[in-house]
C-alpha cells in the first residue's frame, strides 16, 4: 500500500508558479480532433508520441485501452552477408536474356534468383488496460479529443454528477508517457491498471505502486502477406537475434491508496493520480546483436522513470508543451471560410463524413495539414530511428508489410514535407538512417553486382537490410529486385542541404554518401544501342504486355530507373560545384548523365513507363513511377520542359484519380507540380474521403479513417505525410531555383494566409492572398544570397529596387539578401 507522495503536498504551489507558462496548453483552438463516443477500432483511437514512445488512446469509460509502442522494438538482429553467392551470375544471365533475345520471361526468372531474405518486422510493445469503477453505470457528457496544438489527448465524461478526466502526453524532454487522472469530487478515482503484450513476456511487482513487463522479441516474423504455418519464430540458433524490452508502470496518487500485486495496480479513493510509463529495448545499433551486445534496457527505463518522478504533473506538462511548441508553432495556416460553410461544431468523424458527402470545410483541410506536422513531430525525433510505414503506431505482431521501411516510395514520402513544413530536425533520423544502409548497402553492391558504392532495394528495416527481399527467390521481382533505393534516398541528403545551406553537412555527410551512390549507378549502368541503361530493370510493383502480348515485369531502362539516376547525377554535379571540389569525378558524372537513356513520349501522348511503348495490364495502377521526374524529381516542369509536362499530365489522366491513400497523396504533389491547383484540390478531397475502420483493398479505395490516419487501406502513414507535402507544393515551390509563391492555388482556397513555410536556399516565407493573388508576403533570409521569387502578378520589395522580369509564366523578381534579414513583399496594387 502506498500513501500520498511527499512531493504532491506542494502541488498547489507548483501549479500557481507554472500556470502562466501553461496558458497555451489549455487555450481554445481549432486544431483538435474530437469525438462524442469512445473508439471501437484502432483507426478511431488517437495517437500520441515523442518520437520514441507511441500510444493509441481509445478513450473508453469503464475500460480504457492504451496501446503502446517503442520505436526500436523490432524482430531480428544485424543483417547477414553473403546471403546469395549466385546473385551476380544470375545478373549476367538476366542481361544476356534481355540484350540478346529480348526474352523477358527468362530475364524475370534469372532476376528472381538474385534475391536474399525478407526484412524484419516492427512490433507492438503492449497494452495498458485501465478498468475504472463508478457509483453508477450510466455516463453523460462524453468527450474525447486530440489537441494537436499542444499534443495532449483528453477523455472526459460524467457519472453520477462527477466529471472524470484523463489526459495523456508522450513527453520528449522526459521520455515517458504520462496519464493524469482527475475527478470533480474528492476520493472518486477507483481503477485498476493491467499490462499485457502479444510478445512473450513476464510481469512482476516492483513495489507497492509499480509493475514491470519484461520480454524478448521474436528472432523473426514472416511478412503478413506470406502464408506460413509458423510465422513467428523465437528460437535463434546463433543466440544473437531477438531483442529484450522492458515496460515500467508506476502510479502516484493524491489521496486514497494504491496497492499492487501480480494482477496489476489498484487505485482506491484517490483525488488525483498520475501514471508514468517508461520503456526501453536492448537495441544498440544496426550492427550489434541486441542479445550479446545490447543496451541495458532495465537501466534505461528506470533512469527515465526516476528522473520523471521528480517532477509534478504541471511541470511535466509545461516541459512537454514548451518542447512541442518549439517545432509546431513555426507554421500557421488559415483559409477563409465560404459563406455557406457550416458554423455548427461537429465531431471529427461526423465532420469527415459530411466532407465526404460534399460539404465545404476549409478548416478541416488546414486541420489535416497541421495534423501531418503533428504526426511527424510525434514519430520522428533527432537521435531516434526514422518513421516506418506506420510512423511508430502498430498493434499487430505481423503488421501490414512488416511495418518496415519501404524504399520504393513510402519511406521517402514520409519525409517529403519535413523541410518545407519547417520541421528540418525531424528529417535527421532519416538522414542518419541513410548512413546505416550505406554501410550494409556496400556489401550488397559488391556481392550482388560486383559494383562499388552502396545499393538498397525495395525494403529495409532497423538493421539496414539492403538486399533484394524474397527469401532466396520467393518474390516477384517487381516487388523485390528494384535497385534504385540508394540514389532515391540520396535525394533527401541533397534536399536537407538545399533547405539549410549547411556546407559542413554537405561536405562531411551528404556529398560522400551521394558520391558512393553515384559510383554504384555508374557501375550498374551498361551500354546498349548508344545509351547507358539499367538491366534488369523494373518499375515498382507494375507489369507490362511485351511485343508478343505476354505479361512481364523485368526489362531494361525503365523510366523510373533513368529518372532517379538522372536526379542523383544532377545533384552530385551541383553538390560538387557548391563545394568547389572533386572536378574529375564531377566531369565523369556529367559525361555519364549525357548518355542516359532519355525520356520518351508514347503514342497516346503519355510519358512512357517502359523502354518500349507497351500497354499496361492494369492501366490504373497505384504507382505512377514514370513521373518521378515531375515529383519528387525536378527533371520535368511546365516552365522548363512543357512538352514533357504535357506528357506527364496525359499520363495522370490515363492513370485516373483512383488509388490507395498514399497514391492519392502522390497525385496531389504531381498535379501541384503541373500548376493545376483545382485538380490537386480534387485529390485532397479524395484523400479526405471517409473510409471504413476495416478492409484491405490494396488496389483502390484509399482515403482517411475516422482518426484522420491515411487508409491505404490498411493504415499507412505515408499518405498523411504525402498529403501534407502536396498541400505545401500547392502553396510554395522552390525546386527550380526560384521561390514560386502560390503556384497551384485552387479556386476553393481563393483567400488565406500561411506563415513559416521553408524554401530552398534557406528562406522562410509568409504569404497572404485574396482572389488567388498575392496581397503581401515576407521572406526571411536565413543564409543570405540572391532571392528569386516567381509570382503570377507583379510584386515589389519594400525598401529595395529589385529586378523584375516578365515571363510566359508570370513574373520573376530578384534581389540580394543579407543573412537573418526579413524582406517585405507587396503584391500588385497593394499598400503595406
Amino acid at each position: 500500500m502506498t500513501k500520498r507522495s511527499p512531493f504532491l503536498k506542494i502541488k498547489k504551489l507548483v501549479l500557481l508558479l507554472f500556470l502562466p507558462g501553461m496558458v497555451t496548453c489549455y487555450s481554445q483552438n481549432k486544431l483538435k480532433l474530437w469525438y462524442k463516443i469512445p473508439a471501437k477500432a484502432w483507426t478511431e483511437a488517437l495517437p500520441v508520441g515523442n518520437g520514441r514512445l507511441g500510444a493509441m488512446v481509445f478513450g473508453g469509460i469503464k475500460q480504457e485501452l492504451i496501446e503502446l509502442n517503442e520505436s526500436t522494438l523490432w524482430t531480428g538482429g544485424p543483417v547477414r552477408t553473403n546471403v546469395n553467392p549466385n546473385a551476380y551470375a544470375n545478373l549476367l544471365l538476366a542481361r544476356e536474356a534481355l540484350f540478346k533475345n529480348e526474352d523477358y520471361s527468362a530475364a524475370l526468372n534469372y532476376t528472381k534468383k538474385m534475391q536474399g531474405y525478407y526484412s524484419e518486422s516492427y512490433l507492438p510493445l503492449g497494452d495498458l488496460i485501465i478498468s475504472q469503477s463508478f457509483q453508477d453505470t450510466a455516463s453523460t457528457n462524453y468527450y474525447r479529443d486530440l489537441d494537436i496544438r499542444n499534443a495532449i489527448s483528453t477523455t472526459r465524461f460524467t457519472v453520477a454528477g462527477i466529471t472524470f478526466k484523463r489526459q495523456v502526453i508522450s513527453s520528449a524532454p522526459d521520455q515517458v508517457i504520462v496519464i493524469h487522472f482527475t475527478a470533480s469530487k474528492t476520493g472518486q478515482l477507483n481503477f485498476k491498471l493491467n499490462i499485457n503484450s502479444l510478445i512473450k513476456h513476464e510481469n512482476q511487482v516492483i513495489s507497492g505502486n509499480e509493475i514491470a513487463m519484461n520480454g524478448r522479441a521474436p528472432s523473426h516474423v514472416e511478412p503478413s502477406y506470406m502464408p506460413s504455418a509458423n510465422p513467428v519464430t523465437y528460437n535463434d540458433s546463433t543466440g544473437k537475434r531477438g531483442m529484450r524490452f522492458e515496460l515500467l508502470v508506476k502510479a502516484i496518487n493524491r489521496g486514497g491508496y494504491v496497492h499492487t500485486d501480480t494482477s496489476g495496480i489498484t487505485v482506491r479513493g484517490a483525488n488525483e493520480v498520475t501514471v508514468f510509463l517508461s520503456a526501453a529495448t536492448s537495441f544498440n545499433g544496426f550492427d550489434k546483436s541486441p542479445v550479446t551486445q545490447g543496451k541495458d534496457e532495465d537501466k534505461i527505463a528506470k533512469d527515465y522513470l526516476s528522473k520523471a518522478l521528480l517532477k509534478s504533473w504541471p511541470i511535466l506538462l509545461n516541459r512537454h508543451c514548451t518542447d512541442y511548441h518549439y517545432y509546431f508553432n513555426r507554421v500557421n495556416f488559415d483559409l477563409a471560410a465560404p459563406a455557406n460553410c457550416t458554423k455548427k461544431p461537429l465531431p471529427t468523424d461526423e465532420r469527415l463524413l459530411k466532407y465526404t458527402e460534399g460539404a465545404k470545410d476549409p478548416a478541416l483541410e488546414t486541420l489535416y495539414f497541421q495534423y501531418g506536422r503533428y504526426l511527424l513531430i510525434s514519430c520522428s525525433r533527432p537521435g531516434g530511428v526514422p518513421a516506418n510505414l506506420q510512423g511508430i503506431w502498430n498493434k499487430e505482431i505481423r503488421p501490414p508489410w512488416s511495418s518496415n521501411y519501404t524504399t520504393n516510395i513510402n519511406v521517402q514520402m514520409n519525409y517529403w514535407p519535413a523541410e518545407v513544413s519547417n520541421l528540418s530536425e525531424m528529417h535527421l533520423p532519416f538522414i542518419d538512417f541513410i548512413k546505416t544502409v550505406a554501410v550494409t548497402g556496400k556489401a550488397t553492391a559488391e556481392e550482388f553486382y560486383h559494383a562499388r558504392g552502396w545499393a538498397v532495394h525495395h525494403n529495409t528495416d532497423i538493421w539496414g537490410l539492403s538486399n533484394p527481399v524474397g527469401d532466396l527467390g520467393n518474390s516477384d521481382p517487381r516487388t523485390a529486385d528494384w535497385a534504385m533505393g540508394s540514389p532515391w534516398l540520396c535525394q533527401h541528403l541533397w534536399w536537407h542541404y538545399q533547405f539549410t545551406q549547411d556546407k559542413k553537412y554537405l561536405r562531411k555527410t551528404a556529398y560522400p554518401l551521394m558520391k558512393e551512390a553515384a559510383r554504384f549507378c555508374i557501375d550498374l549502368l551498361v551500354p546498349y544501342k548508344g545509351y547507358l541503361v539499367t538491366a534488369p530493370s523494373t518499375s515498382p510493383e507494375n507489369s507490362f504486355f511485351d511485343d508478343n502480348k505476354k505479361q512481364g515485369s523485368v526489362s531494361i531502362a525503365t523510366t523510373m530507373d533513368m529518372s532517379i539516376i538522372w536526379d542523383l547525377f544532377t545533384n552530385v554535379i551541383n553538390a560538387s560545384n557548391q563545394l568547389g571540389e572533386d572536378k574529375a569525378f564531377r566531369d565523369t558524372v556529367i559525361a555519364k548523365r549525357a548518355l542516359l537513356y532519355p525520356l520518351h513520349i508514347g503514342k497516346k501522348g503519355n510519358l512512357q513507363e517502359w523502354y518500349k511503348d507497351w500497354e499496361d495490364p492494369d492501366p490504373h495502377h497505384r504507382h505512377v513511377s514514370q513521373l518521378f521526374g515531375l515529383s519528387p524529381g525536378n527533371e520535368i516542369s511546365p516552365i522548363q520542359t512543357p512538352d514533357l509536362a504535357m506528357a506527364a499530365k496525359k499520363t495522370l489522366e490515363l492513370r485516373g484519380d483512383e488509388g490507395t491513400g498514399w497514391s492519392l497523396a502522390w497525385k496531389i504533389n504531381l498535379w501541384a507540380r503541373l500548376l493545376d491547383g483545382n485538380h490537386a484540390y480534387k485529390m485532397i478531397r479524395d484523400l479526405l474521403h471517409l473510409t471504413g475502420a476495416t478492409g484491405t483493398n490494396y488496389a483502390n479505395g484509399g482515403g482517411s479513417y475516422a482518426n484522420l490516419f491515411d487508409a491505404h487501406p490498411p493504415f499507412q502513414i505515408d499518405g498523411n505525410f504525402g498529403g501534407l507535402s502536396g498541400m505545401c507544393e500547392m502553396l510554395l515551390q522552390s525546386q527550380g531555383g526560384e521561390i514560386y509563391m502560390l503556384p497551384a492555388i485552387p479556386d476553393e482556397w481563393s483567400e488565406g494566409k500561411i506563415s513559416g513555410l521553408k524554401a530552398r536556399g534557406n528562406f522562410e516565407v509568409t504569404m497572404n492572398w485574396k482572389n488567388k493573388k498575392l496581397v503581401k508576403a515576407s521572406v526571411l533570409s536565413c543564409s543570405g544570397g540572391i532571392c528569386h521569387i516567381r509570382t503570377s502578378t507583379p510584386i515589389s520589395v519594400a525598401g529595395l529596387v529589385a529586378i523584375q522580369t516578365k515571363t510566359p509564366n508570370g513574373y520573376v523578381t530578384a534581389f540580394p539578401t543579407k543573412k537573418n534579414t526579413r524582406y517585405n513583399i507587396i503584391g500588385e496594387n497593394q499598400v503595406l
Side-chain angles (χ1 to χ4, degrees), residues 169-180:
I169 62 171
S170 184
S171 168
D174 290 297
Q175 285 298 306
V176 289
I177 292 172
V178 187
I179 309 167
H180 188 61

Side-chain angles (χ1 to χ4, degrees), residues 329-336 365-366 369-370 373 420-422 724 727-732 740-743 745 749 751-758 764-770 774 776-779 822:
N329 289 355
R330 294 172 182 176
V331 174
N332 287 288
F333 181 27
D334 289 295
L335 293 168
E365 293 157 5
T366 55
F369 176 98
Q370 292 287 28
R373 297 183 68 248
V420 67
S421 72
N422 212 335
L724 169 59
M727 295 168 94
C728 290
E729 290 284 325
M730 294 163 70
L731 296 162
L732 189 76
Y740 198 161
M741 294 184 173
L742 310 179
I745 287 292
W749 290 2
E751 183 178 351
K753 57 184 177 180
I754 192 162
S755 62
L757 290 184
K758 290 295 292 291
E764 187 174 295
V765 178
T766 294
M767 298 179 292
N768 290 56
W769 66 94
K770 194 171 185 178
L774 192 70
K776 61 181 179 179
S778 71
V779 174
R822 186 175 296 277

Side-chain angles (χ1 to χ4, degrees), residues 245-260:
F245 66 91
E246 179 167 292
L247 170 66
L248 301 174
V249 182
K250 187 160 188 167
I252 303 296
N253 59 304
R254 185 168 66 85
Y257 71 92
V258 176
H259 172 72
T260 302

Side-chain angles (χ1 to χ4, degrees), residues 493-512:
L493 300 174
W494 177 240
W495 282 0
H496 187 64
Y497 167 72
Q498 285 185 300
F499 279 91
T500 64
Q501 297 294 292
D502 184 347
K503 280 201 175 175
K504 181 180 179 182
Y505 153 81
L506 181 64
R507 179 175 286 107
K508 298 293 185 180
T509 300
Y511 184 71

Side-chain angles (χ1 to χ4, degrees), residues 43 104 123 128 169 203 209-210 221 239 285 363 391 400 508 532 618 664 697 699 710 715 726 783 805 818:
T43 48
Y104 304 109
L123 297 172
L128 175 70
I169 62 171
N203 291 354
N209 62 348
E210 183 179 348
V221 168
K508 298 293 185 180
L532 291 175
D618 179 5
L664 300 174
N697 182 357
D710 169 68
F715 166 55
S783 298
T805 305
K818 294 180 180 179

Side-chain angles (χ1 to χ4, degrees), residues 84-93 95 114 447-450:
N84 188 342
N86 297 318
Y88 184 67
N90 282 293
L91 170 68
L92 298 180
L93 290 170
R95 286 175 175 171
M114 291 180 63
E447 293 172 14
F448 284 74
Y449 299 96
H450 289 190

